[in-house]
Every structure is written in structure tokens, then in C-alpha cells.
Amino acid sequence: DAFVAKTEEAKPKIINLNWIKYAAAAVILIVAGVFAINKMGTTSTEACEFATTYGQYQTIELGDGTQVEMAPNTKLIVSASYGKESRNVELKGQANFTVTRNENCPFNVKTGDVTTTVLGTVFEVRYDNKRPLQVAVHSGKVKVANASSQVIITKDQSAVVENGKVNMASTFSFDNWNGVRTELVYTNASLKQIQADVLAATGKTLQIPTDKMEETFTGKFDSSTDVETICKVLTEAFGFTVLAI
């Protein structure tokens, strides 16, 4: 049976950047109930940095209309020359990108030594050191490449980077893909995956017996940050105590 856990939803912050001010000033933005914007200068050599901490979600609109939905514990650096001769960003964590199409200026997401390139599409990048680097496409076409390998992926496909090589995922579904939304939705998802998702969102580890990790769960948690409710629901569903540390 499916479980639905309802709690008061943590609402993401939405930031709309004025392009002229944005191109002229570097910004560090940290969400903590309220957000602070600090201008670091007015020279074109400075970049803009945005960050979320555990339990925080944020949506940013860049100067060309591209939207970035940031998951918890994520950092995004936007190059100082963004929108001029290039559209380059760096990501640590997880984010969903809805990219405004510009065939003359590709959009590039750098994650370590891997670069994801698009002209205009909707895709997500996950790069959090807890799981393999992964790119998933909602619509359009995306190139994922490093110095030694590359793949082209399209709608409902995914690329995974393991052992330094970029490969197309043999199987992929958005059914159990979570991160940039405050809710967690699962269809026959393993407890191992739920544990990883909660760790990425909150920094807390669900204590689950090793021999139970592959047991599956179908249900929905309205708030990924309400770890107490998640533990209670899983305890009720499986008959063993689930705690978080």
C-alpha cells in the first residue's frame, strides 16, 4: 500500500535577478529563512555565487530567463561573462535547469571535470559526492562530456559518470527521481535510495538494517525535511524501528 505523509511544506525561495545589476555585481546569496544579498564589486571579472544549506530550496532566474531550481546543500557559480559571449555555470549539489534557447550561445554546466552542454532544454544535474554524477533530461537534447568520453542524451534519458567515464544509464525513470522539490515521491523505491535522498536533503542518515536496504516502498512525503515523520512512516510500514542521526 502507498503511504502519504503530510506536513507543512517548506516553501522554496524564488529570486528574480535584474540583468543589469546582476551582470555588474557579484552576489552571494544564502537562504536561511530570509535571504541576504551582498554586492562584492562592480567589475566584470567577478562571478555570482548562490548557495543553499540542508533543508533549503531556492529558485533563481538568470538574466536570459533561464531558471535554476536548487536542491538543498547546493552551490551555483555563474560566470562574470554570462550572457555575453558564453553561458557558463559551475554546480556542486543538485539543480534543475530550464534553459532559454540560444543557438549562438550554448549553456554549459561544469561539475568537476565533466561539462554538460545544451542550447535550450530542461534537465537536471546531480553532483553531490554521495552518489555518482548524473544528468537526466526532461526535454530536449544534452551533451555530457569529459576529456575522455561523451554521450548525447534526450528526453527521459540519463548519463552517469563512473570511474572517470561518461556512460548512458542502462535504465532510468523519473518515477523515483527527487531533489529539487520539497516533496519525496516513490514507486517501489529501495530503502537505500530513500536513505540517500534524505541524507542529501537534510544531512541526516536514516538508520536502516543492512539486510533491509533493498526492500521497497511506495508513497509520498510532503516534506523532505520532516525527518521525524519519515522515520515514523517507515517504521510503521516495515515493522522495524527507523531512526535518524
Side-chain angles (χ1 to χ4, degrees), residues 191 207-209 212-213 215 231 234-242:
L191 290 178
Q207 297 296 291
I208 298 170
K212 303 293 185 181
M213 282 293 195
E215 293 200 20
C231 288
L234 294 180
T235 296
E236 177 184 344
F238 291 96
F240 55 81
T241 302
V242 177

Side-chain angles (χ1 to χ4, degrees), residues 33-88:
V34 297
F35 62 85
I37 300 177
N38 299 315
K39 294 183 179 180
M40 297 175 61
T42 58
T43 67
S44 61
T45 59
E46 295 174 330
C48 297
E49 181 176 309
F50 305 88
T52 59
T53 61
Y54 285 124
Q56 298 173 335
Y57 297 81
Q58 181 174 292
T59 297
I60 298 168
E61 182 173 318
L62 303 182
D64 62 347
T66 292
Q67 288 196 342
V68 185
E69 296 171 89
M70 297 171 62
N73 197 33
T74 294
K75 179 188 292 185
L76 180 76
I77 300 175
V78 183
S79 67
S81 61
Y82 186 93
K84 299 174 184 177
E85 299 178 353
S86 63
R87 294 191 293 171
N88 298 328

Side-chain angles (χ1 to χ4, degrees), residues 137-149:
V137 180
H138 291 278
S139 66
K141 183 185 294 186
V142 171
K143 180 177 77 172
V144 184
N146 60 14
S148 61
S149 56

Side-chain angles (χ1 to χ4, degrees), residues 95-99 101 106-111 114-126 133-146 149-161 166-169 174:
N96 182 78
F97 298 88
T98 302
V99 179
R101 189 169 186 82
F107 183 91
N108 299 296
V109 181
K110 185 173 177 59
T111 47
V114 175
T115 300
T116 302
T117 301
V118 306
L119 297 178
T121 186
V122 181
F123 67 103
E124 289 190 45
V125 179
R126 176 184 286 167
L133 194 162
Q134 188 167 9
V135 179
V137 180
H138 291 278
S139 66
K141 183 185 294 186
V142 171
K143 180 177 77 172
V144 184
N146 60 14
S149 56
Q150 72 173 45
V151 298
I152 304 294
I153 53 177
T154 58
K155 177 179 171 60
D156 294 331
Q157 293 182 332
S158 174
V160 180
V161 182
V166 183
N167 294 298
M168 183 180 295
F174 278 110

Side-chain angles (χ1 to χ4, degrees), residues 195 198-199 202-208 213 227 231 243-245:
Q195 182 189 60
V198 171
L199 177 62
T202 67
K204 296 181 179 180
T205 300
L206 299 182
Q207 297 296 291
I208 298 170
M213 282 293 195
V227 180
C231 288
L243 301 173
I245 60 172

